[in-house]
Amino acid sequence: MRKNQLGNTDIQVSELCLGTMTWGEQNSEAEAHRQLDMAVDAGINFIDTAEMYPVPPKAETQGRTESCLGSWLSAGGRRDKLIIATKVTGPGDWMTHIRNGPDLSAGHIDQALAGSLERLRTDYIDLYQLHWPSRPTNFFGRLGYEHETREGVPLEETLLALNKHLQAGTIRHYGLSNETAWGTMKVIALADQLGMPRPVSIQNPYNLLNRSYEVGLAEVSHREQCGLLAYSPLAFGVLSGKYLQNRRPEKARLTLFSRFSRYTGDLAEQATAAYAGIAESAGISPAQLALAFVNQRSFVTSNIIGATTEAQLQENLSSVDVRLSSDIMEAVEKVHRAISNPCP
């Protein structure tokens, strides 16, 4: 599997990253371990998780995902060969089961990191990410920005807290997630001002139904060596085509959880059907088309795949062997021009 440089570091991460947010909810610990074995055997060295996982987030399951990964790491002894990424939870009324309402203050970061290290059974995190900004801004399905006077925890406090752990060696590097172009450049400028390392990555949604990252952040990724870790490359599974014609497969995410309806709707259905047609003409599956498209984008450092079954995971892993021709890419662009970003 091809590898890409993580920011300006000496770390090489696999083209695909194994996402984990179903572990502890849709997947058992044993299934999580089998996924890890499959992924590592296929050449993946990059695993992404978060303190709030699994999703949907709730008090009785919070932290299970990191624990699934931790038990596998403890049993397998492969920690030094893997790049482990996790995230500290941002603020939100819907997250009060974490520290009575999490934020990105120094105290919360200290507590969050200690909990993640314990669950992961490791003494350092390779990439520690701010799951979403403390300030109110447009993320999680919002395209347009509407200004609010509330600011949240000052960025300087958050960065100084991260820098303390960088210097202590409990985290090696840090990154952003669900961040905007302004926020990314502000963090970079403030890090320079404070004389501390810059963020090395941005983990944002990116897929054929949501290419909003290209508008402002793609240039930032290139010019500031802060590449994209693309999440939801299959748009919650919609781009696999399994939900077309109003199908709702048993145990599928959109069947089980109505909160993940962001990638549904008439325009999404039309675009997905068109992309599925392109895939059929190319002799590949819709999922392989969607993942290969993300894999080939120059600003993407790693493409975060996830699956609930081993068959799905195998299909996703096979996307690294698919290279889309210029004709296929032009067909994709034609659909995008007609139906641009139907699902932020």
Side-chain angles (χ1 to χ4, degrees):
M1 186 175 296
R2 291 176 291 270
K3 289 185 171 59
N4 298 315
Q5 184 178 352
L6 179 65
N8 61 354
T9 75
D10 59 358
I11 294 176
Q12 296 286 316
V13 295
S14 48
E15 180 178 18
L16 297 180
C17 171
L18 182 63
T20 64
M21 69 180 187
T22 61
W23 302 353
E25 178 65 53
Q26 291 175 265
N27 288 109
S28 67
E29 183 177 44
E31 289 171 336
H33 290 185
R34 286 197 293 273
Q35 286 190 20
L36 283 159
D37 288 337
M38 287 179 63
V40 171
D41 287 347
I44 284 181
N45 73 341
F46 195 16
I47 317 294
D48 179 73
T49 187
E51 67 161 339
M52 83 168 198
Y53 289 170
V55 294
K58 48 192 177 184
E60 57 267 34
T61 59
Q62 187 262 320
R64 281 185 187 172
T65 302
E66 287 185 325
S67 294
C68 288
L69 176 53
S71 61
W72 181 85
L73 288 171
S74 178
R78 288 179 269 193
R79 176 66 185 93
D80 61 336
K81 300 185 184 303
L82 298 175
I83 308 303
I84 303 299
T86 193
K87 312 177 196 75
V88 53
T89 306
D93 295 341
W94 47 289
M95 299 301 296
T96 54
H97 60 278
I98 299 179
R99 294 185 295 283
N100 296 315
D103 61 38
L104 299 180
S105 64
H108 276 264
I109 287 174
D110 290 349
Q111 292 179 56
L113 179 57
S116 289
L117 290 169
E118 181 178 1
R119 287 186 292 270
L120 289 167
R121 305 190 197 184
T122 184
D123 54 8
Y124 69 97
I125 304 296
D126 296 287
L127 177 64
Y128 199 55
Q129 302 157 103
L130 307 177
H131 208 150
W132 59 86
S134 181
R135 71 189 191 283
T137 187
N138 49 318
F139 53 83
F140 290 150
R142 288 176 55 194
L143 267 181
Y145 172 75
E146 296 179 6
H147 188 66
E148 299 180 32
T149 56
R150 176 174 56 87
E151 290 298 331
V153 174
L155 271 173
E156 183 172 356
E157 178 179 349
T158 299
L159 292 185
L160 287 173
L162 292 174
N163 196 38
K164 179 182 72 173
H165 293 290
L166 287 166
Q167 293 177 340
T170 44
I171 62 175
R172 296 177 66 192
H173 305 283
Y174 73 100
L176 310 175
S177 183
N178 296 296
E179 189 52 276
T180 66
W182 180 89
T184 303
M185 291 305 301
K186 188 70 174 179
V187 170
I188 289 171
L190 187 54
D192 288 348
Q193 179 183 326
L194 294 171
M196 64 175 284
R198 292 178 169 195
V200 300
S201 59
I202 315 170
Q203 184 175 150
N204 276 23
Y206 183 69
N207 55 63
L208 288 171
L209 299 180
N210 177 9
R211 293 172 57 178
S212 58
Y213 193 90
E214 298 172 11
V215 177
L217 276 163
E219 183 179 11
V220 173
S221 284
H222 277 294
R223 295 188 183 278
E224 306 298 337
Q225 291 184 288
C226 193
L228 173 62
L229 309 181
Y231 81 76
S232 288
L234 291 178
F236 295 151
V238 168
L239 286 165
S240 70
K242 64 184 178 183
Y243 299 111
L244 286 173
Q245 300 175 337
N246 294 316
R247 291 193 297 267
R248 287 296 181 268
E250 185 181 3
K251 297 183 179 180
R253 191 179 307 169
L254 296 188
T255 306
L256 294 172
F257 310 116
S258 60
R259 65 178 291 148
F260 296 120
S261 60
R262 188 190 316 171
Y263 290 103
T264 61
D266 291 342
L267 287 178
E269 177 95 0
Q270 292 174 37
T272 300
Y275 292 129
I278 295 170
E280 182 178 7
S281 297
I284 56 179
S285 72
Q288 289 173 320
L289 173 79
L291 294 174
F293 172 81
V294 175
N295 294 345
Q296 288 179 216
R297 308 306 278 175
S298 61
F299 50 84
V300 172
T301 297
S302 193
N303 185 3
I304 305 174
I305 61 170
T308 53
T309 70
E310 292 180 29
Q312 290 172 344
L313 180 56
Q314 188 58 57
E315 181 181 19
N316 294 349
L317 290 168
S318 70
S319 70
V320 297
D321 299 319
V322 176
R323 302 301 289 176
L324 303 181
S325 68
S326 58
D327 289 344
I328 295 174
M329 291 295 280
E330 177 52 35
V332 166
E333 289 302 317
K334 184 176 180 180
V335 175
H336 178 61
R337 287 192 293 271
I339 312 174
S340 298
N341 298 325
C343 309

